Amino acid sequence: MRAAILEAVNEPLTVEDVELADPGAGEVVVRLEASGVCHSDWNVVSGATPNPLPAVLGHEGAGVVEAVGTGVSTVAEGDHVVLSWLPACGSCFYCVQGRPSLCEHALEGMFEGTLPSGALRLSRNGSPLYHYSFLSTFAERCIVPEECCVRIRADAPLEVAALVGCAVMTGIGAAINRARVEPGSTVAVFGAGGVGLSVVLGAVLAGARDIVAVDPVPFKRELARELGATHTVDPKSEDPTAVLRELTDGRGADYAFDSAGYPGVVAQAYAATRRGGTVICIGIPPVGAEASLPGPSLPRDEKIVTGSFYGSCRPHVDMPLVLDLFMDGRLPLDKLVSRTYSLDGVNDAFAAMNDGEVARAVLKL
């Protein structure tokens, strides 16, 4: 099969013929139809996130089950699946509490470039290749743990379903599951990429009255409006905090989401939030980055500062539900797919993402 390989940090990916081994016990072969191109993948290219190389990147995919290993019981050949990069164990303290996104075991080994078993199923001319996020979706096929396969309805378009596997679930879940945005509230979203735009969709679904999208890229602000944002702010020319306070009689947003993860953005989100409001951190900063918040106001203003990892979701429950809402016409997820590329166009897709030209670029595999 063909796959896009990252040989070394800060180098373009190369599309080559590679070998995929047979699935082991508890593993599934998926014929990939689509993969989103996410900034988390770029973090490996740039070196911000460590991963052994050479590796096949990609972690936002959907496809059709082609074969299963021994012991697999939840999916079968022909099933349509979204791939979750969080193979929750289902039995640890957090999973039993209904919070699989905090699973004690799911992330073990994620950045070692192997499957959870420690196995490598990818190779090139007999030499091993590393996996990424247990998935490696920049390829025509992949082998993943059974727990990563979320079975979905067969009539959902897979280029949309792929995005539910990361950006969509991360953003909508942060609004619905973690923040629990209330009807009539004011929501600020800092960063209108695929995740931030999904927060906008979640806030609309929750019934927020005012939704303010903050992003320096005109295209993203325009799309945020199309998806339901009531106001947009260019942080290069306007002060988001001043806009939020003017909109709310001087108070500030009820909820402010940092979907960018860039240093300093969480402090902006905090400043734009009213007393007693909630700041939700979604974007993951570079390794070693720290957030700085005004110490005296932490007790005085009683603001809640929290995180949301993977939309605080239950993948096998929430992902099919989100796709049902899309198919029912209640979530315009297709508008997030700005451009599609062939696998050979993966570097062009990264360039479009980094230049702010797309909400999401999708590889059609």
Side-chain angles (χ1 to χ4, degrees):
M1 68 170 191
R2 300 171 76 240
I5 301 171
L6 177 66
E7 295 282 355
V9 169
N10 290 321
E11 289 190 3
L13 278 66
T14 58
V15 178
E16 303 179 35
D17 290 328
V18 305
E19 297 83 42
L20 190 69
D22 293 332
E27 295 175 354
V28 179
V29 181
V30 177
R31 184 181 75 250
L32 290 157
E33 297 289 339
S35 176
V37 177
C38 178
H39 202 275
S40 295
D41 300 303
W42 181 254
N43 284 343
V44 180
V45 178
S46 68
T49 298
N51 196 85
L53 300 176
V56 177
L57 301 185
H59 67 285
E60 193 176 65
V64 180
V65 173
E66 191 172 85
V68 299
T70 58
V72 172
S73 61
T74 58
V75 293
E77 183 179 348
D79 284 345
H80 287 216
V81 293
V82 168
L83 297 181
S84 163
W85 44 261
L86 195 79
C89 72
S91 59
C92 72
F93 173 84
Y94 295 104
C95 285
V96 171
Q97 296 294 320
R99 302 189 68 180
S101 63
L102 300 181
C103 175
E104 293 176 348
H105 308 294
L107 298 186
E108 291 179 2
M110 174 174 280
F111 299 112
E112 293 177 6
T114 69
L115 295 179
S117 65
L120 294 172
R121 303 295 183 206
L122 291 161
S123 61
R124 177 182 52 185
N125 299 324
S127 297
L129 294 169
Y130 289 100
H131 299 254
Y132 175 61
S133 291
F134 305 134
L135 301 183
S136 293
T137 59
F138 290 175
E140 294 173 335
R141 290 153 63 228
C142 65
I143 287 181
V144 301
E146 177 183 10
E147 296 82 4
C148 291
C149 292
V150 179
R151 190 169 56 185
I152 59 171
R153 56 195 292 172
D155 58 343
L158 290 172
E159 65 269 21
V160 173
L163 304 189
V164 175
C166 187
V168 167
M169 198 68 257
T170 297
I172 290 179
I176 302 294
N177 295 333
R178 189 65 180 144
R180 300 186 182 275
V181 170
E182 294 186 357
S185 59
T186 297
V187 172
V189 183
F190 289 77
V195 172
L197 291 169
S198 296
V199 174
V200 170
L201 289 172
V204 171
L205 195 64
R209 182 188 61 193
D210 297 311
I211 303 171
V212 181
V214 182
D215 199 286
V217 179
F219 160 75
K220 294 181 178 180
R221 296 198 301 272
E222 293 167 10
L223 184 53
R225 286 269 193 178
E226 187 177 346
L227 295 177
T230 57
H231 303 74
T232 57
V233 175
D234 179 355
K236 292 183 177 180
S237 60
E238 296 181 272
D239 178 6
T241 299
V243 172
L244 265 299
R245 295 198 183 283
E246 182 179 355
L247 188 63
T248 57
D249 296 325
R251 293 187 302 276
D254 298 299
Y255 308 91
F257 296 82
D258 170 13
S259 67
Y262 296 131
V265 173
V266 66
Q268 288 183 303
Y270 186 89
T273 305
R274 66 165 172 81
R275 301 182 72 198
T278 302
V279 179
I280 304 93
C281 303
I282 310 172
I284 298 180
V287 174
E290 295 184 357
S292 179
L293 299 174
S297 74
L298 287 172
R300 290 173 181 165
D301 290 344
E302 293 192 358
K303 296 181 185 181
I304 298 168
V305 180
T306 187
S308 178
F309 188 55
Y310 211 180
S312 309
C313 77
R314 301 161 298 168
H316 294 272
V317 175
D318 295 343
M319 290 181 183
L321 173 58
V322 165
L323 276 170
D324 282 344
L325 292 172
F326 163 68
M327 296 298 287
D328 290 342
R330 297 176 61 187
L331 275 175
L333 302 180
D334 54 322
K335 293 182 179 180
L336 295 174
V337 182
S338 302
R339 295 179 192 168
T340 60
Y341 297 81
S342 69
L343 184 60
D344 292 302
V346 61
N347 293 308
D348 293 332
F350 272 130
M353 178 192 72
N354 289 329
D355 290 342
E357 298 174 1
V358 296
R360 237 350 173 236
V362 174
L363 303 180
K364 298 291 287 292
L365 303 164

